[in-house]
Amino acid sequence: MKLLCFSGSLRKASLNKKLLKVEMEILKGISGVEVAHVDLQELQFPVYDGDIEAAGIPPSVRKFGELIQEARGLIIASPEYNGSISSPLKNAVDWVSRLKPMPLEKKPVLLTGASPGGFGTVLGLRHARAPFEKLGNFVHPQSFPLSKAGEAFTPDGDLVDAASKQRLVGLLTEFVVFARMFS
Amino acid sequence: MKLLCFSGSLRKASLNKKLLKVEMEILKGISGVEVAHVDLQELQFPVYDGDIEAAGIPPSVRKFGELIQEARGLIIASPEYNGSISSPLKNAVDWVSRLKPMPLEKKPVLLTGASPGGFGTVLGLRHARAPFEKLGNFVHPQSFPLSKAGEAFTPDGDLVDAASKQRLVGLLTEFVVFARMFS
Amino acid sequence: MKLLCFSGSLRKASLNKKLLKVEMEILKGISGVEVAHVDLQELQFPVYDGDIEAAGIPPSVRKFGELIQEARGLIIASPEYNGSISSPLKNAVDWVSRLKPMPLEKKPVLLTGASPGGFGTVLGLRHARAPFEKLGNFVHPQSFPLSKAGEAFTPDGDLVDAASKQRLVGLLTEFVVFARMFS
Amino acid sequence: MKLLCFSGSLRKASLNKKLLKVEMEILKGISGVEVAHVDLQELQFPVYDGDIEAAGIPPSVRKFGELIQEARGLIIASPEYNGSISSPLKNAVDWVSRLKPMPLEKKPVLLTGASPGGFGTVLGLRHARAPFEKLGNFVHPQSFPLSKAGEAFTPDGDLVDAASKQRLVGLLTEFVVFARMFS
């Protein structure tokens, strides 16, 4: 079962890209899971604009749509920007929603997020549920908000806190079961 | 008192740009109000990316920030994308939030929106409150959601429905009083 | 498969109780579905109070919890109160969340709602997702908001509009498939 | 200027009642402020029910409405229940919304909350904004979420953490200025 992993942050040194790496390592250890990955920074989407769409949906959007179509679930590590969904994530969703067939429909989604502050993206992840639910995604009810992420990673890129790591392993394992049901 | 008006949709033929025009005409008729306008499509923001920011905040973002700084309130006509905030609007807010001083703080905001469907952007406008409130904007509690906007405008660009027009005049008048209080 | 149906409105002549009746009739026609029903008005919950809980969770709350436990999914018809979740529904959820084992966990939920106004409880149903998702319910991404419900029912209690009826039949059928997956 | 303070938790030993006490002490020290207080547990509201309303709005609801009417702003300390608004608070708002004249309209509100956990009611306070904004309250954009509230109070009932205390003093002082503007 292929799962597509991507981050809602674009910058290379993003804490969410670090978190995503931990998640991908865990997923690789789950039997039957194939991990796919895409970096939104490389896809270089423009901001959604109906005039651009009318002139032709950008090839990078189509490529992203195909990756989603091929996957049986999405795992997203996304920052919270201003107490709400990150603009790169919202923009990616808005572009993909214009594809026909629309690949997000009925696709299982897990939302996770890393934040340097103490509230671990809980507002951002709550806010991010809305577009996915509207588009018919099955968003897993649980999410994984990682607080104080600036100090959360070892030099090797693993999570420092064993209890957090264990919860993340548990949630990803549960999500794999969840995603399998919908396939 | 200068009020800055812009749309959360980029495309030229946007229903929200039509709504914004009606709003600007009304505002011009209110004593003491000076109407400023900016088109986000012309500003050509990239999607927010911390690496772009580190290399230098785009001049168009700085220009937008200055326009906000000079205004004593913001009037926004924004579509709902996928049951939530439009990505052009979220992206604009995320960029502006990186400026120092951050011009949105304590700035009064009125959220309005036009939708071709029956639910008039009520979910989108609710969702759009979050980043503004987080940033310290004083978002007026009322909003103006315009349903079935495809049939809502006369050939001259006015609102067909007199009752809707009257409500919009009333709300804009009230917002001007609201915005004045914070100056 | 037993499905528990209840309304988030207490009053006897509630539009949401009417909608629930239509839903129950449809469900009875779906093969393999057993319909259970409970009326929150009859259960007479007090407003949630930790001091009442410490003295003993009310028997009516325990009874409601058992009904949820026995069902393999919940179908809720709830009004929107003040642009948000109805207090009877929030109160019922808060009480049930105190039971051990907590019967809502991993229980599939479908949210529907009837409103006399034009915006068909879309804000209320969005707002109502939050506690269920927090408690681990699998809330179906789609909901059924019925606008202008004062004129939506025939004297026999069916839906006037055939297209609405058909959408409701489709959604309930889909929800039954969804709920079966989790059992 | 009279400000009405109440808690969205009913139980006597509530952490939010403790937080409210700290807030009332601070408010008493602000020149020109008169502090009023009401305990929702004592008011003994039933769960909102249109049939009860039709038989006569409970006198305790009318009393609460009068207290709101007499105040020039509301300061609320409310827990988060299940990632969302507390049912006692939602129920109180729903009852008050039925009064004519409706005393919440244009009334400034400050939302604060205490939580034993690490995320300090941020989801609950966000969720609680919705009904107030719908009813036309001017909800202050900032809120005060207090995390790990079980260890946050001194035996005398003050806040242990001086920086938190200072932020709370700052926010209350700012709210008083905010509330004055609307009077």
Side-chain angles (χ1 to χ4, degrees), chain B residues 129 133 174 181-182, chain D residues 106 129 133 174 181-182:
Chain B
R129 302 183 77 89
E133 291 176 340
E174 195 179 311
M181 287 193 318
F182 293 100
Chain D
K106 293 177 190 279
R129 302 183 78 90
E133 291 176 340
E174 195 179 312
M181 287 193 318
F182 294 101

Side-chain angles (χ1 to χ4, degrees), chain C residues 70-101:
Chain C
E70 289 163 19
R72 279 165 64 185
L74 309 179
I75 285 151
I76 303 172
S78 184
E80 169 181 305
Y81 286 169
N82 301 311
S84 49
I85 190 171
S86 88
S87 37
L89 179 57
K90 186 58 172 65
N91 189 57
V93 170
D94 285 346
W95 268 117
V96 167
S97 73
R98 306 303 292 170
L99 294 170
K100 290 185 177 111

Side-chain angles (χ1 to χ4, degrees), chain B residues 17-50:
Chain B
K17 289 187 176 176
K18 284 189 183 179
L19 175 58
L20 194 69
K21 249 185 167 168
V22 176
E23 293 168 350
M24 287 167 67
E25 281 309 306
I26 294 169
L27 287 167
K28 281 173 192 165
I30 299 177
S31 164
V33 172
E34 181 189 348
V35 178
H37 172 256
V38 65
D39 188 325
L40 292 182
Q41 192 184 42
E42 291 172 12
L43 290 178
Q44 296 272 357
F45 296 153
V47 176
Y48 176 78
D49 180 336

Side-chain angles (χ1 to χ4, degrees), chain C residues 15 18-19 22 114-116 144 146-155 157-162 164-165:
Chain C
L15 292 168
K18 284 189 183 180
L19 174 58
V22 175
S115 153
F144 184 83
L146 182 68
S147 297
K148 300 192 189 298
E151 301 87 54
F153 298 97
T154 67
D158 206 350
L159 288 180
V160 170
D161 183 48
S164 289
K165 178 74 180 285

Side-chain angles (χ1 to χ4, degrees), chain C residues 11-72:
Chain C
R11 74 186 181 99
K12 287 177 182 56
S14 156
L15 292 168
N16 280 281
K17 289 187 175 177
K18 284 189 183 180
L19 174 58
L20 194 69
K21 250 185 166 167
V22 175
E23 293 168 350
M24 288 169 67
E25 282 309 306
I26 294 169
L27 288 166
K28 281 173 191 165
I30 299 177
S31 167
V33 172
E34 184 188 344
V35 177
H37 171 255
V38 64
D39 187 324
L40 292 181
Q41 192 184 44
E42 290 172 11
L43 290 179
Q44 296 272 355
F45 295 154
V47 176
Y48 176 78
D49 179 336
D51 290 333
I52 294 178
E53 184 189 359
I57 290 181
S60 59
V61 172
R62 295 202 175 278
K63 190 187 157 188
F64 185 48
E66 283 161 23
L67 291 170
I68 293 171
Q69 194 65 66
E70 289 163 19
R72 279 165 64 185

